[in-house]
Amino acid sequence: MLELLGFADFQVDMSPEPEDGPIGWPGYGEAVRAAVARSGASESVRVGTARIGGVDAVVIAFEFKFLGGSLGRRTGDRIEYAFHRARELGVPVVSLVATGGSRMQQGMRALTQLQRVAREIALTRAAGIPQISVLLDPTTGGGWATLGAGADVVLAAPGAQVGFGGSRVRPADAPAEAYTAEAKLAWGQVDQIVAPSELPEALGRWLRLLSSPGAAAEPPAALGSADLPSSGWDAVQAARSASRPRAGAYLDAYFGWRAEIRGDRAGGVDEGVLCGFGWRGRAIAYAAQCGTATTPAGFRTAARLIRLADRLGIPVLTLIDTPGAANDAAAERDGAGPAIASLFEAVALAKVPITSLVIGEGGSGGALAFAAPGSTWITPDAYFSVTSPEAAAAILKLDPAQAPAIASQLRLRPQDLVELGVARAVVPRRP
């Protein structure tokens, strides 16, 4: 793998250790010598540089044959040095992780290396430097909880064992499938599963996307009808039409290629929210609603995307299309309010420019949370409203049959929103 990436080792001074390690574990020195002979490595990680997809990067590569890729004191030395060099050089960090966790024969001296690693991750994040992890088989314990899960983008090998609990310490009745890369993908903790043969290309694309700051994104052209609605109810019906173009079509037309991030890193995935980075002569981040009620996981994933793009200096495009935020019991349990608040905050604090386009239904606060104040456009077949006409009738205790008339009273048509100053303009249809 490292040879495919053009890897060149750093020369890191290795401080001497007592024969049986820092806590005098019987036979530790002999185990280390056997590990060196078996793996050909002098420690459980190698650190160095590589040029991947035209982008220079610092690489941290675990050697599982060396004591199960365990983290010991000298492992921490090497990882710390690698992150320090990445900040000096201003280049991304790629971690190829294969570890069983902390090195038992070093006791707490081994476990405290996780604090060192976590600090280096945080310092590098604060410096605005991208971090990508690749989860190999296995990635468990502290290696998963620091270098693995702590990266900006997390890739994983198919079928890799991934989990905080290793196979020998987890509950006996725990289902093995819960500790796989595929499960972590389904639960929004991994962004993409990549076959080993495809890894160099995938890393190159991600490094290019995450290392390309730029200016504000221009709003996409409209893909649907070019005709403005004559009434509010016409606007609502046009936005709800099954034939209207959805977010996927807009993203495909706007970008030459793109790569998605997945999930909120807290166990949730909203399939109705697409987030990632696309290439349009430069990198642009995107968060796009797909016409469904947005769940708490969707809001948290969008907030994660915006914060990451902001840290890396990459402009953001948001596409708004939702009847509103999910408001069922499950959404309340999963923190709908805090999740929406988190996205409002991410948008409000972002230093990078955010461009928003309403492409369908703009339903209430669930839509507004995706909108950039002062930088929102709208397509001719969309609307934006304080709530749906039907909900407005219910709230005001009016006959549901009054919904069409209420739609006009709400002034939710594209031209109304421009006149009200909510939208900057109605975007023209794509030639």
Side-chain angles (χ1 to χ4, degrees):
M1 179 69 70
L2 293 181
E3 289 69 24
L4 292 175
L5 302 179
F7 178 82
D9 285 281
F10 286 138
Q11 298 303 312
V12 184
D13 290 335
M14 299 282 285
S15 54
E17 285 188 328
E19 167 67 14
D20 286 330
I23 63 172
W25 189 278
Y28 175 62
E30 182 179 344
V32 169
R33 288 189 290 274
V36 171
R38 179 171 56 251
S39 66
S42 58
E43 244 305 328
S44 60
V45 295
R46 294 171 64 186
V47 295
T49 58
R51 188 165 180 80
I52 308 170
V55 179
D56 291 324
V58 164
V59 175
I60 300 169
F62 279 73
E63 174 53 74
F64 191 74
K65 291 181 180 178
F66 191 103
L67 298 179
S70 57
L71 283 83
R73 184 178 63 82
R74 297 201 300 185
T75 317
D77 290 343
R78 287 192 171 187
I79 294 173
E80 184 177 68
Y81 181 82
F83 275 103
H84 177 72
R85 289 293 289 149
R87 294 195 296 274
E88 281 188 337
L89 298 170
V91 301
V93 177
V94 175
S95 299
L96 307 176
V97 188
T99 174
S102 300
R103 192 168 299 171
M104 296 299 101
Q105 301 93 328
Q106 291 192 6
M108 279 300 296
R109 288 293 296 274
L111 190 64
T112 58
Q113 302 311 305
L114 302 183
Q115 294 172 317
R116 296 177 69 189
V117 174
R119 172 178 166 79
E120 293 304 314
I121 291 171
L123 290 173
T124 305
R125 180 177 292 116
I129 292 174
Q131 300 174 55
I132 301 174
S133 65
V134 180
L135 313 181
L136 304 175
D137 187 30
T139 298
T140 60
W144 163 231
T146 52
L147 284 172
D152 300 317
V153 171
V154 182
L155 312 180
Q161 180 189 169
V162 180
F164 187 66
S167 59
R168 299 181 183 180
V169 297
R170 67 182 66 136
D173 59 350
E177 58 270 20
Y179 299 84
T180 63
E182 286 75 11
K184 298 302 186 287
L185 178 74
W187 298 334
Q189 298 167 34
V190 163
D191 293 303
Q192 186 179 357
I193 296 199
V194 183
S197 61
E198 299 170 357
L199 185 57
E201 180 182 358
L203 282 174
R205 288 163 70 92
W206 272 113
L207 288 170
R208 189 177 178 192
L209 286 169
L210 299 180
S211 304
S212 303
E218 63 273 22
L223 298 180
S225 172
D227 299 327
L228 290 172
S230 58
S231 71
W233 191 242
D234 288 340
V236 172
Q237 295 301 100
R240 291 176 179 175
S241 171
S243 62
R244 174 182 55 77
R246 262 49 181 187
Y250 275 92
L251 294 174
D252 289 343
Y254 192 75
F255 293 117
W257 51 274
R258 56 191 173 94
E260 292 186 8
I261 67 168
R262 182 175 174 84
D264 63 1
R265 291 296 184 265
V269 174
D270 185 344
E271 302 291 354
V273 175
L274 300 176
C275 292
F277 295 81
W279 190 260
R280 186 180 168 87
R282 59 195 173 96
I284 297 171
Y286 63 86
Q289 294 171 311
C290 298
T292 57
T294 302
T295 69
F299 292 111
R300 285 192 289 263
T301 304
R304 172 194 162 206
L305 180 281
I306 290 171
R307 291 189 178 107
L308 172 57
D310 190 45
R311 182 156 45 80
L312 301 179
I314 298 173
V316 178
L317 169 70
T318 65
L319 300 180
I320 298 164
D321 184 10
T322 181
N327 59 6
D328 56 10
E332 293 300 326
R333 179 199 64 208
D334 294 342
I340 296 171
S342 177
L343 181 53
F344 271 124
E345 179 185 61
V347 171
L349 294 180
K351 298 179 289 297
V352 295
I354 301 176
T355 302
S356 300
L357 177 65
V358 187
I359 64 170
E361 292 195 81
S364 194
L368 188 66
F370 276 73
S375 189
T376 295
W377 281 258
I378 190 167
T379 64
D381 51 357
Y383 78 87
F384 213 163
S385 177
V386 62
T387 191
S388 71
E390 296 89 346
I395 292 168
L396 298 174
K397 301 180 181 179
L398 299 175
D399 189 331
Q402 294 296 308
I406 292 172
S408 292
Q409 289 178 286
L410 288 171
R411 298 196 65 191
L412 49 71
R413 300 176 304 167
Q415 58 267 46
D416 295 329
L417 296 162
V418 173
E419 184 178 343
L420 290 168
V422 175
R424 292 181 62 169
V426 179
V427 296
R429 181 179 169 82
R430 184 182 185 190

